[in-house]
Amino acid sequence: MNNAIYLLNVAVSLSFGVALLLAWQRDNSQAFLRMVGLAFLLHAGLPPAYAALNAPDRWLQTAGLATLVALALLSAGLLAVGVGHLAERPFTPRQRRIGAVALLGLGLVLLPVGLPLALVVPAGLNVLVGAAAAAWLWGRGGAERLAGLLLVLLALNALQVFAFGDVVAERQSLVAALIRLCMGLTLLHAAGRRSAEASRVARERFMRLTEHSHQGVAVVRGEQLLYANPALLRIYGLNSLEDVRTLWRDATMPEAERAIGRARHRKLLSGELQRDDWSGERFRFDGTPIRLRFSAWRVDWDGDAAEQVVVSDETAQHDATAAMLHQATHDELTSLPNRSALLARLRDMCAAGEGFALLLLDVDRFKLFNEAHGHSVGDDVLRALAASLAAALRGRAETMRLGEDEFALLAPAQDSEHMAHQVAQAVRELLAQPVALPGHDFFLDVSMGVALHPAHGRDPEALLRAANAAMHEAKHAPGTSLQFAEERFERGSGATLLAEQALRAGLKNEEFSLVYQPKVEIRSALRPPVLVGFEALVRWDPPSGGRISPLQFIPAAERTGMIRELGKLILDLACAQIVAWRGRFGHGVPVAVNVSPLQLLDTGFVDEVLRTLHRHGVPPGLLSLEITESVAVTHMEQARGRIAQLREHGIEVALDDFGTGFSSLNMLRSLPLRTVKIDRTLIEPLPARDATAVVKAICDLAATLELDVIAEGVETAAQSEAVRAAGCHVMQGYLYARPLSPAEAGRWLDRANPEAQAALRPPR
């Protein structure tokens, strides 16, 4: 055989075999390229194997025959599988296994029979494969039809040697090389056309999916927007891609993020980054800010790498979240930051170790605005004040509203005390001018409490406590006042709160009891005092030990409204004690119980007293009630009605603390009282001449109005004689007895029966 033709045949088979395999590597979906490419590579081994048949060595002849049969059968099998893929009629795995076994068996049968039958059968098999390929591919037209015909010609060409002998071997080899050349080109063309068709179908499918997507889809290369679906155009406010006449990133991204965006794009196109997800602020082409979320990866677009981006518009959700956050951190009335925002800022500033001043402002007597002009005007005042504070302090302090009429000013500065004075001065200058509203000009005063970080606290809670305590202390000063935090202010506030909390627990656990101070009648210095009654006084003995003075817990009870519950308890205990004394001694004396203003002004108070008396079986004459002078003056009409009701049921009422500053003749004349009690502050200076004159005047006035008089706080014999000389004969005080336990008071009561009255003497 001509060596040139031999080499041409081998070269064509090798080159197109490799070309077909490379094409398959580029597009793995076209499996026929791999099968036919492998068959071509096997065909490259047929000429050397055929040459071995003519070698003088018998072993080379046998090896050549075995190689020739194996290559021919395996090539025929690969071509059959490849044609199946090309015709889109692929063999199943089971069919391929059966075919492989059949080819192996056929090879084992053909080897012993020798030439020429061992060569004729594979050639005939190739003719069958070519005929099947032509039949399957004929209807597909184009390159596929031509490939089928070339396979038939290639198989028929192989039969020339068997028909005409070796004289046609060179011609057969040359024709085979040409046919393989044509078939290789045809298959590459078919593969290219199929790839293009697949790309077109994929593009159309991509378009159909993205055109109706609610998410924006874009394809970007460099600074050019290659594709944008309708959703993306809508998101960015575009009508079409023709509207994009500038660099895409420059038009839509904040300047600070453009370099990051370009670097991400380069990494995606180079394959350094497979995928990325991010979100951020962007701009529509009209400049409107929007909030978007992105996902991006690399795609092939028109044969080159590009970045595909999927865009979700989260502007509505972001705005809704921002609105909710603003609502949670800002005051609805003034739009200023609220208490939550203040706490967050304090936490940040404390953590950073910054120096700053916290000023709490409370509008003095703001309740008057609501009472005099209505809540709408009060709200207008607060809005105007908030706006004025924010404008006047801009750049020096943050203005916040904590609720009602309370504001906070947060002023960062290393010299925080100096800054606090500057801010306070600015507030004073602002409030020197009226708050102007339509139809009104209001002058305001505020009380300001200041806490400095870190001097007065290192955490938000401590600073707020310190500033709040200082602000309440500032309220004691007139006008717009300023008070810096001191430990004693906070300690006092803490003690008050603890007392109020403990008082609630004390009432629940019944930790209160009564002591009784005797009231005695002194007709002359020579006669012993006569017991005429007791005053019930409440005491608090908590389980922790140590009796608590009424001066501490009574104000707390009045502030919190618990005085009503405490008053009920005192009345109940006093009635129970009266019943116990009567049962033991067979008689009793009136017991006086103090009544708070909140009790007396309660519309159900009289009924409550009557129910308590009835429940214990106490005669009304053994109970008297004492009211303070201040409540009688402040609530004259209500007090007159309640006292009249009580007296109708036989319950006497005394006016306590008489002479402390509100006394008037009209009050004593108007109220249906039985007794007045002269306050201890008028008894203490006795027997001074001027003090004696005041006490005598009260006694003369009471006698004229037919009122009994009792002197409180009598502690010395001189005071007692001066009181008696002024016309008052009933007294109580340490001179006669301190407040007594129920058992001690019972001994007084035991000696107070008519037979034992003469034995009673004042204690020494």
Side-chain angles (χ1 to χ4, degrees):
M1 181 183 294
N2 190 305
N3 288 335
I5 295 175
Y6 165 78
L7 292 175
L8 174 64
N9 199 330
V10 173
V12 169
S13 297
L14 287 174
S15 59
F16 276 95
V18 172
L20 292 172
L21 289 175
L22 290 175
W24 169 75
Q25 278 191 326
R26 184 176 180 85
D27 186 358
N28 292 335
S29 65
Q30 303 197 63
F32 76 90
L33 291 172
R34 180 177 61 165
M35 299 303 175
V36 178
L38 291 173
F40 269 44
L41 292 178
L42 293 176
H43 273 288
L46 289 176
Y50 187 78
L53 290 175
N54 298 319
D57 191 324
R58 181 182 173 186
W59 291 102
L60 284 176
Q61 292 177 6
T62 303
L65 177 61
T67 302
L68 195 64
V69 170
L71 292 178
L73 291 176
L74 187 56
S75 175
L78 290 171
L79 282 175
V81 175
V83 167
H85 282 292
L86 184 61
E88 296 183 356
R89 299 176 63 175
F91 294 104
T92 65
R94 183 171 180 273
Q95 290 171 333
R96 290 199 298 271
R97 287 194 297 271
I98 293 172
V101 172
L103 289 176
L104 179 60
L106 184 59
L108 294 175
V109 170
L110 290 176
L111 283 177
V113 301
L115 293 173
L117 188 59
L119 297 178
V120 172
V121 173
L125 186 59
N126 279 323
V127 172
L128 291 176
V129 171
W136 289 349
L137 298 174
W138 188 263
R140 304 187 70 84
E144 284 85 349
R145 180 182 296 177
L146 180 58
L149 292 175
L150 290 172
L151 280 172
V152 173
L153 290 176
L154 186 62
L156 292 175
N157 180 62
L159 294 176
Q160 287 189 70
V161 177
F162 307 105
F164 303 106
D166 290 341
V167 295
V168 295
E170 291 185 2
R171 182 180 66 188
Q172 185 269 346
S173 182
L174 178 61
V175 171
L178 294 175
I179 293 174
R180 284 195 181 91
L181 176 62
C182 294
M183 191 167 70
L185 293 173
T186 301
L187 291 175
L188 289 173
H189 172 72
R193 184 174 58 77
R194 287 193 174 199
S195 293
E197 179 65 16
S199 296
R200 183 188 65 79
V201 171
R203 178 77 63 87
E204 289 179 357
R205 185 179 296 118
F206 174 80
M207 295 298 184
R208 285 196 300 272
L209 291 173
T210 60
E211 291 297 302
H212 300 287
S213 173
H214 293 293
Q215 290 180 302
V217 179
V219 178
V220 183
R221 183 183 295 128
E223 297 295 334
Q224 185 179 3
L225 186 63
L226 303 176
Y227 168 78
N229 72 338
L232 187 91
L233 296 175
R234 184 174 61 253
I235 289 171
Y236 282 98
L238 296 167
N239 295 318
S240 70
L241 278 178
E242 298 300 322
D243 294 340
V244 185
R245 303 185 184 279
T246 183
L247 297 179
W248 175 254
R249 291 182 181 82
D250 289 352
T252 61
M253 294 177 67
E255 184 175 357
E257 295 188 36
R258 293 171 192 169
I260 298 173
R262 292 186 175 98
R264 182 191 301 114
H265 180 70
R266 288 193 298 270
K267 290 180 180 179
L268 286 168
L269 264 58
S270 67
E272 182 181 349
L273 189 63
Q274 296 298 317
R275 176 193 172 100
D276 202 6
D277 299 275
W278 70 98
S279 63
E281 185 182 57
R282 296 293 182 267
F283 301 101
R284 291 190 176 96
F285 270 72
D286 62 0
T288 306
I290 49 179
R291 190 78 181 186
L292 305 179
R293 179 171 292 279
F294 303 88
S295 295
W297 52 87
R298 170 182 164 159
V299 295
D300 288 331
W301 192 267
D302 292 335
D304 291 317
E307 177 186 357
Q308 180 178 332
V309 187
V310 176
V311 183
S312 301
D313 188 354
E314 297 183 341
T315 306
Q317 300 94 309
H318 180 268
D319 290 348
T321 302
M324 292 178 63
L325 180 61
H326 185 276
Q327 184 178 0
T329 58
H330 286 74
D331 173 56
E332 183 178 358
L333 179 66
T334 63
S335 294
L336 291 176
N338 61 12
R339 182 179 292 273
S340 296
L342 173 63
L343 287 171
R345 286 287 291 127
L346 286 174
R347 281 193 292 269
D348 292 342
M349 297 178 75
C350 288
E354 301 176 14
F356 60 88
L358 171 64
L359 291 84
L360 295 187
L361 279 68
D362 190 80
V363 181
D364 296 337
R365 301 174 301 283
F366 182 74
K367 184 179 179 182
L368 297 177
F369 289 99
N370 291 331
E371 292 178 350
H373 302 283
H375 287 277
S376 60
V377 173
D379 289 346
D380 290 341
V381 170
L382 291 175
R383 273 192 291 265
L385 176 60
S388 299
L389 286 171
L393 300 174
R394 185 170 291 116
R396 284 185 289 182
E398 300 175 53
T399 306
M400 305 177 182
R401 183 184 179 221
L402 305 187
E404 297 298 330
D405 54 356
E406 189 175 356
F407 294 83
L409 306 177
L410 194 56
Q414 290 304 315
D415 189 352
S416 53
E417 183 175 356
H418 178 68
M419 176 58 75
H421 282 291
Q422 284 189 331
V423 170
Q425 183 59 32
V427 173
R428 288 192 183 96
E429 292 173 0
L430 173 66
L431 297 182
Q433 303 299 321
V435 175
L437 296 177
H440 299 283
D441 283 338
F442 293 115
F443 284 92
L444 301 178
D445 287 316
V446 298
S447 298
M448 293 181 281
V450 182
L452 307 178
H453 179 267
H456 298 135
R458 294 183 176 274
D459 60 79
E461 290 75 17
L463 289 166
L464 281 170
R465 285 197 306 270
N468 190 68
M471 182 262 290
H472 283 290
E473 186 67 20
K475 282 188 171 294
H476 297 154
T480 294
S481 55
L482 176 69
Q483 178 65 59
F484 279 77
E486 295 181 23
E487 185 179 354
R488 61 189 179 92
F489 300 155
E490 189 176 352
R491 186 170 59 246
S493 299
T496 299
L497 178 61
L498 290 175
E500 293 175 0
Q501 297 296 317
L503 181 60
R504 295 182 189 275
L507 285 170
K508 180 180 178 181
N509 299 329
E510 299 181 353
E511 297 171 2
F512 294 88
S513 61
L514 297 182
V515 294
Y516 300 88
Q517 186 168 34
K519 299 177 183 178
V520 296
E521 183 178 23
I522 306 295
R523 285 296 176 180
S524 78
L526 301 176
R527 297 179 58 185
V530 178
L531 178 68
V532 296
F534 289 109
E535 180 180 2
L537 302 171
V538 65
R539 295 293 184 263
W540 183 10
D541 296 293
S544 57
R547 173 166 287 182
I548 299 176
S549 168
L551 296 177
Q552 292 178 281
F553 67 82
I554 292 296
E558 290 177 340
R559 280 195 307 273
T560 59
M562 286 185 286
I563 193 68
R564 293 188 181 93
E565 187 177 350
L566 182 60
K568 291 179 183 179
L569 176 63
I570 294 171
L571 182 62
D572 194 70
L573 291 174
C575 289
Q577 188 61 61
I578 292 171
V579 171
W581 282 335
R582 292 187 72 200
R584 179 178 178 184
F585 304 114
H587 67 282
V589 294
V591 175
V593 174
N594 290 283
V595 175
S596 77
L598 288 177
Q599 286 179 280
L600 184 66
L601 299 178
D602 190 336
T603 56
F605 174 66
V606 175
D607 291 336
E608 180 186 320
V609 172
L610 295 176
R611 284 195 301 270
T612 303
L613 291 174
H614 182 266
R615 185 169 68 252
H616 290 281
V618 175
L622 290 181
L623 177 70
S624 66
L625 303 178
E626 296 184 0
I627 63 173
T628 60
E629 187 182 44
S630 59
V631 69
V633 172
T634 308
H635 305 280
M636 178 73 76
E637 293 301 320
Q638 295 97 316
R640 181 188 295 115
R642 301 288 188 276
I643 295 171
Q645 287 179 283
L646 291 167
R647 293 205 65 180
E648 286 176 5
H649 291 90
I651 301 170
E652 301 297 344
V653 178
L655 185 66
D656 198 8
D657 301 333
F658 187 78
T660 54
F662 298 99
S663 308
S664 70
L665 177 62
N666 183 60
M667 180 185 66
L668 290 178
R669 186 180 61 82
S670 300
L671 294 176
L673 298 167
R674 171 64 184 271
T675 306
V676 293
K677 295 183 71 176
I678 303 174
D679 189 71
R680 65 181 62 250
T681 58
L682 298 180
I683 302 300
E684 185 179 2
L686 295 177
R689 183 177 178 181
D690 54 347
T692 302
V694 171
V695 173
K696 187 176 188 311
I698 294 174
C699 292
D700 292 343
L701 178 61
T704 302
L705 297 175
E706 299 181 349
L707 296 173
D708 295 333
V709 182
I710 300 176
E712 291 185 292
V714 179
E715 298 185 357
T716 66
Q719 290 175 340
S720 175
E721 181 59 28
V723 168
R724 189 185 62 79
C728 175
H729 301 286
V730 179
M731 310 173 198
Q732 68 180 96
Y734 286 0
L735 176 63
Y736 303 104
R738 292 177 177 272
L740 307 172
S741 68
E744 293 171 332
R747 287 194 287 273
W748 274 66
L749 189 61
D750 185 33
R751 294 193 296 271
N753 61 64
E755 294 77 11
Q757 196 61 225
L760 188 63
R761 293 289 185 273
R764 295 295 181 184

